[in-house]
Amino acid sequence: MSARICTSVPLVAARDGAVVIESSCGRSFSVTAEVAMQMSEHLIRSAARARGQHRMAEQQTGEA
């Protein structure tokens, strides 16, 4: 499965006791507050990993 890459921050709001995430790519879904908190933790860890991977790639190619 190939993920579509969005380059802008999604809209996130609390509605009727749920967290609603609306992507600029056209996707929208609702999750519980607990799931939103878990997603946040996973996003932060994955973002840090991706940043590290990008830096390592730059060092290997001599960019900076």
Side-chain angles (χ1 to χ4, degrees):
M1 181 174 104
S2 176
R4 185 172 171 192
I5 297 177
C6 291
T7 58
S8 60
V9 177
L11 299 173
V12 180
R15 284 193 208 131
D16 301 323
V19 177
V20 179
I21 303 165
E22 298 176 0
S23 166
S24 62
C25 294
R27 303 208 70 164
S28 177
F29 55 97
S30 298
V31 297
T32 64
E34 292 79 14
V35 169
M37 295 294 285
Q38 290 176 351
M39 288 174 70
S40 177
E41 292 172 9
H42 288 288
L43 282 168
I44 290 168
R45 282 192 210 111
S46 295
R49 233 180 270 121
R51 182 175 281 170
Q53 292 168 353
H54 181 73
R55 286 182 182 158
M56 288 180 66
E58 283 181 338
Q59 289 174 354
Q60 290 176 352
T61 60
E63 297 176 15

